[in-house]
Amino acid sequence: MRKIYIGIIGVGVVGSSVIRILKQNQDLIGARAGVEFVIKKAVVRDIPKAQKLGILEADKFHTDIDSILNDKDIDVVIELIGGVEFAYEIAKKALQNNKALITANKAMLAYHRYDLARIAKELPIGFEASVGGGIPIVRTLRDCLASNHIQAIYGILNGTSNYILTQMFDHNKDFYTALLEAQNLGYAESDPTLDINGLDAGHKLLILATLAYGINALPEDILIEGISDITPDDMEFAREFGYTIKLLGIAKSDNNELELRVHPSLILKDCMISKVGGVMNGVSVIGDCAGESMYYGAGAGGNATASSVIADLIEIARDTHSSMLGFSRSFDKNLTLKSIEKIRSRYYIRLYTQDKPGVLSQITQILGDNNISIQALLQKEHTEQGMAKLFISTHTSIESDINKALQEIQSLPIVSQKPYKIRIQDL
């Protein structure tokens, strides 16, 4: 049987799972791939620590990345170290040295996917593990739905933020309590910034948008908001009006414009994607031919992500890989990225105000002056005497109008805190 030699850079949670699964399911994987995969070298920071794992022969661990990149016998480099620029240099050198590449690095791909596609030419690049862990969403968009014009993608793309929001909604916990619980359970890093500020989901959305629409956008080009400002009061409103709150990545085409945005969204509780709870991920794709299809599964974790890495290995072995991004030329030259200020949505607004006559008239006057129509309004008592909580939902408005109105409302003496908005997503 033909052998394919592998070099793994990074033997953390995912890398160690890749090694274990390749050994544990060797016969199955070999039968499906038609080759024998041989791990020749693995680069780690701490060799003694790696050797204690007992997953690989001791002499196969190295600390020098070039020992893999310059090894002429190695056919495939698996990059699992994370980061952006350093990881890009590794990926670039692997391709320049005529090696196939597999990466789970969504941050690097968010900035350099087109660069890598250009460098690779005919060399295969696998990146199924970069979005959705074990969910085969990359291959689905690139290959299975290739005949479809994709009308929209709605995705819960970050398990940490989804776990936090699930705990807040189901168990009435505040954000920081839910975050601490996620950290204690290993669902959140000690520094959870990329998860809770929406950037991790933003990286993944950009990858999916490239596969679906052929657009080359960067994280700085799109709307990305996190979940740290969501409170139990927002969850109370959601429950009362039949919604739940999820951090959604949204890609939506409208004529020749494409909306790309990541932000908390109020969605109806009976929608399919609203039922994706805990650390799970879910992606809904709407194509003009296939209609709506839903993909659900573990969005992170060693075994789930390793499963996607090995799926890429098998595809490389079969020599059935397509071009990295799934297209050889631009297929929608007229498509442009919609300005954030032009986004249209319904909105939920949370206000803390003084509880006295005339408050509502001042707020509704400002909203009306900015072309914003109120759909529903709920007032509740505040724990602080003399204060009230106001929850407002609007009809469809323009982002620039809602932002201007909230700035004016914030300047009112009757308003005690900065207003907070969440977009209401109709699915």
Side-chain angles (χ1 to χ4, degrees), residues 43-202:
V43 166
V44 297
R45 287 194 181 128
D46 187 335
I47 290 178
K49 182 179 178 181
Q51 289 173 338
K52 289 179 182 177
L53 295 173
I55 57 175
L56 204 59
E57 295 89 337
D59 62 348
K60 291 189 176 182
F61 289 110
H62 300 262
T63 56
D64 181 11
I65 291 173
D66 284 335
S67 69
I68 285 180
L69 299 178
N70 296 329
D71 189 325
K72 293 181 180 179
D73 292 332
I74 288 177
D75 304 295
V76 183
V77 173
I78 301 176
E79 180 275 312
L80 299 170
I81 62 171
V84 178
E85 295 306 324
F86 183 55
Y88 171 58
E89 291 302 318
I90 291 170
K92 182 167 65 172
K93 189 170 181 180
L95 295 168
Q96 289 169 340
N97 287 357
N98 204 37
K99 301 182 188 305
L101 173 71
I102 295 174
T103 179
N105 192 331
K106 63 269 186 182
M108 185 262 287
L109 291 171
Y111 285 96
H112 293 298
R113 58 201 183 278
Y114 276 85
D115 299 322
L116 292 178
R118 185 179 62 253
I119 294 166
K121 297 179 181 176
E122 299 302 317
L123 282 169
I125 299 178
F127 56 102
E128 185 67 68
S130 65
V131 183
I135 303 172
I137 189 62
V138 167
R139 194 164 284 107
T140 295
L141 282 172
R142 188 185 61 194
D143 301 329
C144 302
L145 296 177
S147 65
N148 285 250
H149 289 287
I150 303 301
Q151 297 169 335
I153 300 170
Y154 301 98
I156 294 172
L157 301 172
N158 182 271
T160 300
S161 60
N162 199 45
Y163 177 83
I164 291 168
L165 292 175
T166 301
Q167 291 298 304
M168 292 179 70
F169 185 84
D170 290 347
H171 304 290
N172 205 32
K173 295 177 181 177
D174 64 71
F175 170 79
Y176 290 102
T177 299
L179 171 58
L180 181 61
E181 183 176 301
Q183 289 173 318
N184 291 337
L185 291 170
Y187 299 150
E189 303 287 345
S190 55
D191 180 3
T193 304
L194 292 178
D195 293 320
I196 64 174
N197 69 4
L199 198 55
D200 175 80

Side-chain angles (χ1 to χ4, degrees), residues 12-64:
V13 172
V14 176
S16 58
S17 290
V18 169
I19 295 169
R20 287 192 184 98
I21 293 171
L22 283 173
K23 288 190 171 185
Q24 174 185 314
N25 294 347
Q26 182 178 5
D27 290 342
L28 170 67
I29 293 167
R32 292 191 184 281
V35 305
E36 179 185 351
F37 293 114
V38 179
I39 300 169
K40 188 175 182 189
K41 293 177 182 176
V43 166
V44 297
R45 287 194 181 128
D46 187 335
I47 290 178
K49 182 179 178 181
Q51 289 173 338
K52 289 179 182 177
L53 295 173
I55 57 175
L56 204 59
E57 295 89 337
D59 62 348
K60 291 189 176 182
F61 289 110
H62 300 262
T63 56
D64 181 11

Side-chain angles (χ1 to χ4, degrees), residues 195-208:
D195 293 320
I196 64 174
N197 69 4
L199 198 55
D200 175 80
H203 293 155
K204 295 170 183 175
L205 179 68
L206 287 167
I207 294 168
L208 298 183

Side-chain angles (χ1 to χ4, degrees), residues 152-333:
I153 300 170
Y154 301 98
I156 294 172
L157 301 172
N158 182 271
T160 300
S161 60
N162 199 45
Y163 177 83
I164 291 168
L165 292 175
T166 301
Q167 291 298 304
M168 292 179 70
F169 185 84
D170 290 347
H171 304 290
N172 205 32
K173 295 177 181 177
D174 64 71
F175 170 79
Y176 290 102
T177 299
L179 171 58
L180 181 61
E181 183 176 301
Q183 289 173 318
N184 291 337
L185 291 170
Y187 299 150
E189 303 287 345
S190 55
D191 180 3
T193 304
L194 292 178
D195 293 320
I196 64 174
N197 69 4
L199 198 55
D200 175 80
H203 293 155
K204 295 170 183 175
L205 179 68
L206 287 167
I207 294 168
L208 298 183
T210 291
L211 298 171
Y213 302 101
I215 194 161
N216 187 9
L218 298 175
E220 293 79 8
D221 300 330
I222 68 173
L223 173 64
I224 299 177
E225 294 176 0
I227 64 170
S228 58
D229 291 329
I230 297 174
T231 69
D233 286 338
D234 303 320
M235 294 296 179
E236 180 183 10
F237 173 89
R239 282 189 291 268
E240 188 147 342
F241 282 83
Y243 292 104
T244 188
I245 299 177
K246 297 291 185 182
L247 182 71
L248 279 188
I250 299 168
K252 185 168 62 171
S253 62
D254 181 18
N255 294 321
N256 290 326
E257 289 188 310
L258 178 67
E259 294 182 21
L260 292 180
R261 44 193 171 104
V262 173
H263 50 70
S265 299
L266 279 157
I267 55 178
L268 289 172
K269 287 194 297 184
D270 58 0
C271 290
M272 283 194 300
I273 203 162
S274 71
K275 302 182 190 304
V276 178
V279 295
M280 305 303 280
N281 280 194
V283 183
S284 174
V285 181
I286 302 172
D288 64 341
C289 301
E292 183 175 9
S293 51
M294 179 83 180
Y295 307 88
Y296 168 87
N303 285 345
T305 307
S307 175
S308 290
V309 169
I310 296 169
D312 283 334
L313 267 176
I314 293 172
E315 185 177 28
I316 289 170
R318 289 172 172 170
D319 198 24
T320 56
H321 62 277
S322 58
S323 61
M324 176 190 173
L325 301 177
F327 48 88
S328 57
R329 58 181 173 80
S330 175
F331 56 89
D332 202 341
K333 296 180 181 179

